[in-house]
Structure formats: structure tokens, C-alpha cells
Amino acid sequence: MLTIGRLAATAGVTVRTVRHYHHVGLLPEPERDASGYRRYSAQAAVDLIRIRTLADAGVPLARIDALLHAQPAEFASAMTDIDAALQRKIDQLTDYRRRIAELSGGEKLFLPPEVVAVLDRMRDLGISERRVRLERDAWILMQALDPGAMPQRIREKNAGFDDPETMRLYLACDQSVDWDPHDPRLDRLIDDLDAWEIEHERDGSRPGYLKLVSSRIAEVSPAWQRILDALAHRARQRRTAGNGS
């Protein structure tokens, strides 16, 4: 007869594991003897070794009890099912590993190569990482909400990077991120941006995804929020004047 410690050692498990198997009903718990100790038989040791072997093989504990009493054909069928379930789990974990590896690529996980190239070009042109991240978020939202607009927007972005005046304004906006929203330099910048929008026939309206991005801008930069608000106000005034003429 074996104590619980000897039983655990015989099966290569811990005493805590034996008690857990008692708790879940896999291994019957013997009555205490006259001295107050629980004594386990050789059969208990065999059963425990079988339980441990099945558990180590990945068999769910909920299925082990039935398998301990299964006929050979039933046991073989159950093993086939369990093997298939394990293979599905392996495939899922392999996919998780692939996606984790892709995370090292940053934007490449979320955006097509053409957009990643736009973001990398912004970095090469000296635009701050904070501004690049906002741009990235805008592309992610565009891809989800208006994917058909992406090719044209990519062309516009690259054309803007090739235009000295557009780049001057881009860099000026980038430099203004930490300015006080009442800084007088913003007035000149707003004038320049408004003139640019008029020249490029922008009416100040923004797609839904850019409105979502704009909602974050106030958190990033009150100065940028003032620029957006001022440009939107001027665009509304122009539309009102145009409708009244």
C-alpha cells in the first residue's frame, strides 16, 4: 500500500496533482486507515500513470475518465478525434506565430506596400514620427471605410511631396505641433493653408474617416486643432457666400 507521496513519486507527478485528480473525479480517493492515513493500491498507481500519460499527450482532462474505460475501437476513434483537435490547435498557434512575426514590420501588418512607402517617404523628408503616426491612422481608417479612395489619395500624397510649396506647408504644420494655440505664427500659417486649399480647389469638407482622425488631433495638438477649426470656418464662409451669389 502506498502513501500519497509514494503514489505521486511512482507516477512522476506531484502530490498537488494527485489531489487535483481527486477533485475532478479522475482518481478515487481511498478511505483513511486506522492510523488516519490514506493508502493507495497498486491499481491506483497504474490508473494514475495512465491518467498522467493521457494528460501529457494533450488529452483534455474532461475526456480522460471515459477513455480509461473505453473499448479498444472506441479508444482509437477518440484518439483520432483528439489528434485532429490538436492539429487544429497547432495550425492556429502557427498562424499566431506568423502574425506575431509580421508585427515586427509595423505598418506592413495593417497597410498595403504603397501606403507604407508613403509613410516611409514622410520620414525621409523629415516629418516627425508623431505626424506620421496620425497619417498612418488616417490610412487605416480609409482602408476600412473608403478603400476605393486610396489609389487617388496615394497619388495626391506623392504629388504633394514633389511640390515645394506643399512640402513647405507640411513641414510648417509639423513644426507647429507644440505651439500655443494663440501663437500669432498660427495666423500666418492658417492664411497660407487657406490659400493653398483655394488654389487646389478644396472646399474644406472632409470624409468621415478624416473626421475621426481629426477628433484625435485636439488631444495631440491644440494648435493643430485651431488650424483645422479655422480652415473649416473659412470654407463654410466661402460656401455660404457662393450660395448667396
Side-chain angles (χ1 to χ4, degrees):
M1 302 294 285
L2 303 170
T3 62
I4 191 171
R6 290 288 303 277
L7 175 73
T10 300
V13 299
T14 64
V15 170
R16 183 176 180 179
T17 298
V18 175
R19 290 187 173 128
H20 178 65
Y21 291 159
H22 288 329
H23 179 72
V24 298
L26 279 179
L27 187 69
E29 188 173 10
E31 298 293 334
R32 297 183 185 275
D33 62 15
S35 59
Y37 292 98
R38 300 189 188 279
R39 304 291 181 176
Y40 295 84
S41 66
Q43 183 61 51
V46 171
D47 290 343
L48 181 57
I49 291 170
R50 294 176 68 202
I51 293 168
R52 185 212 66 197
T53 302
L54 290 170
D56 288 349
V59 177
L61 292 184
R63 300 196 64 176
I64 288 179
D65 185 59
L67 291 175
L68 291 174
H69 305 94
Q71 296 298 314
E74 182 184 359
F75 186 91
S77 176
M79 288 299 101
T80 299
D81 292 343
I82 291 169
D83 180 67
L86 288 173
Q87 186 59 57
R88 288 192 295 272
K89 185 66 173 178
I90 290 169
D91 293 343
Q92 183 183 53
L93 292 174
T94 300
D95 184 60
Y96 287 162
R97 292 192 66 202
R98 176 187 60 78
R99 297 183 66 183
I100 289 295
E102 288 175 346
L103 284 173
S104 63
E107 288 108 3
K108 295 177 183 178
L109 180 66
F110 307 102
L111 294 167
E114 297 83 0
V115 175
V116 174
V118 167
L119 299 176
D120 287 340
R121 190 175 180 188
M122 291 175 68
R123 295 183 177 100
D124 292 340
L125 289 168
I127 296 170
S128 71
E129 190 62 30
R130 177 160 38 181
R131 181 69 179 86
V132 172
R133 285 197 297 269
L134 279 174
E135 188 81 16
R136 176 204 62 196
D137 292 348
W139 285 109
I140 290 172
L141 289 169
M142 182 190 297
Q143 182 171 244
L145 301 175
D146 193 10
M150 292 185 71
Q152 177 64 25
R153 186 61 175 157
I154 291 170
R155 288 191 292 270
E156 290 174 354
K157 278 290 182 181
N158 282 310
F161 295 150
D162 293 333
D163 178 61
E165 177 61 11
T166 301
M167 274 308 304
R168 182 186 74 80
L169 293 174
Y170 229 118
L171 292 171
C173 288
D174 198 32
Q175 292 166 2
S176 71
V177 61
D178 293 319
W179 292 357
D180 185 281
H182 303 293
D183 191 312
R185 290 175 293 177
L186 283 178
D187 296 327
R188 174 63 184 275
L189 181 55
I190 290 168
D191 288 341
D192 288 347
L193 289 167
D194 192 43
W196 185 94
E197 292 201 347
I198 293 172
E199 180 182 349
H200 292 79
E201 299 181 347
R202 299 286 181 89
D203 64 1
S205 62
R206 290 172 290 180
Y209 60 86
L210 286 184
K211 291 177 182 177
L212 289 173
V213 173
S214 296
S215 68
R216 286 191 53 218
I217 287 180
E219 301 173 3
V220 174
S221 169
W224 284 356
Q225 187 60 46
R226 186 190 163 204
I227 291 172
L228 288 176
D229 291 343
L231 292 176
H233 176 69
R234 293 187 184 193
R236 285 194 299 270
Q237 286 183 321
R238 284 195 294 273
R239 287 197 296 271
T240 300
N243 292 335
S245 60

